[in-house]
């Protein structure tokens, strides 16, 4: 996405000072609320309707799934070992909520902002994780209700603006993101 938008933005606004930040949707949402960001791409549950008109565009849906290494066998007598993103990640929140509703105990084995670390732990058989269905790699298997893991709700990638008016450069960036971005299927 950045490869499609940044050249156009810098050509149209050569004096702009652009800052791009990655982080959990929860962290980005907080920074957006405080006016520290102009725009953010946030992953939010589909059933959690946008709180207000600051959601500018829905860019597609994602399906989080439980995954484990192919040879991993859950031990229902022990807490579920999880590979998790940090607090503020919507996948983390929904997974913990689902386990809690099922009465399942869990423990965080690995927490990381980087998906590669989490995927490595999952593939090594150290933990179960929650990732987008499109990111399931060879060596992983999707866990189902038959394995004791309830389905996770659909999420949506939403482009959200900060409170207040969007700058001219922000409007251009909004158009470029809206025109050039699609979720991989």
């Amino acid at each position: 996405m950045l490869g499609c938008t940044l050249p156009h933005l810098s050509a149209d606004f050569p004096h702009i000072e652009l800052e791009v930040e990655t982080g959990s949707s929860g962290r980005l949402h907080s920074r957006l609320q405080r006016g520290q960001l102009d725009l953010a791409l946030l992953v939010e549950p589909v059933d959690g309707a946008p709180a207000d008109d600051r959601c500018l565009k829905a860019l597609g849906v994602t399906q989080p799934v439980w995954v484990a290494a192919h040879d991993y066998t859950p031990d229902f007598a022990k807490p579920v070992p999880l590979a998790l993103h940090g607090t503020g990640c919507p996948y983390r929140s929904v997974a913990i909520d689902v386990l809690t509703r099922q009465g399942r105990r869990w423990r965080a084995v690995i927490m990381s902002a980087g998906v590669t670390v989490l995927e490595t732990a999952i593939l090594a058989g150290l933990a179960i994780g929650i990732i987008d269905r499109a990111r399931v790699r060879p060596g992983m298997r999707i866990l189902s209700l038959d394995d004791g893991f309830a389905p996770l709700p659909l999420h949506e990638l939403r482009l959200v603006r900060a409170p207040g008016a969007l700058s001219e450069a922000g409007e251009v960036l909004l158009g470029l993101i809206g025109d050039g971005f699609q979720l991989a299927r």
Side-chain angles (χ1 to χ4, degrees):
M1 176 186 71
L2 288 177
C4 297
T5 58
L6 295 183
H8 296 291
L9 186 66
S10 63
D12 293 343
F13 295 91
H15 302 293
I16 194 170
E17 292 182 16
L18 180 68
E19 294 179 20
V20 177
E21 177 180 335
T22 63
S24 72
S25 289
R27 182 172 189 277
L28 295 175
H29 184 266
S30 294
R31 296 212 49 216
L32 200 65
Q33 290 294 102
R34 293 192 303 265
Q36 296 171 329
L37 299 173
D38 294 321
L39 295 168
L41 291 170
L42 305 177
V43 175
E44 299 175 322
V46 168
D47 60 1
D52 55 35
D53 64 351
R54 291 182 306 114
C55 178
L56 301 171
K57 187 166 187 160
L59 298 168
V61 295
T62 66
Q63 176 62 68
V65 292
W66 300 100
V67 292
H70 273 290
D71 58 352
Y72 183 86
T73 305
D75 182 348
F76 294 104
K78 295 181 180 177
V80 178
L82 295 176
L84 297 169
H85 285 290
T87 303
C89 173
Y91 284 7
R92 172 193 172 102
S93 298
V94 76
I96 291 170
D97 289 347
V98 166
L99 289 175
T100 301
R101 281 195 306 274
Q102 287 182 300
R104 304 273 308 270
R105 295 176 307 143
W106 61 274
R107 67 184 183 96
V109 174
I110 294 183
M111 287 192 302
S112 174
V115 70
T116 303
V117 172
L118 301 177
E119 289 176 352
T120 300
I122 294 163
L123 288 167
L126 300 174
I128 292 168
I130 304 97
I131 63 173
D132 184 69
R133 181 179 294 279
R135 289 195 60 91
V136 175
R137 295 177 31 193
M140 293 180 181
R141 68 182 175 97
I142 296 175
L143 301 174
S144 67
L145 204 47
D146 291 340
D147 300 300
F149 293 89
L152 299 169
L154 282 174
H155 283 62
E156 188 170 55
L157 183 61
R158 297 174 179 154
L159 181 61
V160 181
R161 67 173 174 81
L166 202 54
S167 68
E168 184 181 354
E171 291 287 349
V172 170
L173 184 58
L174 170 61
L176 293 170
I177 291 171
D179 292 343
F181 185 85
Q182 287 186 336
L183 285 177
R185 296 279 177 219

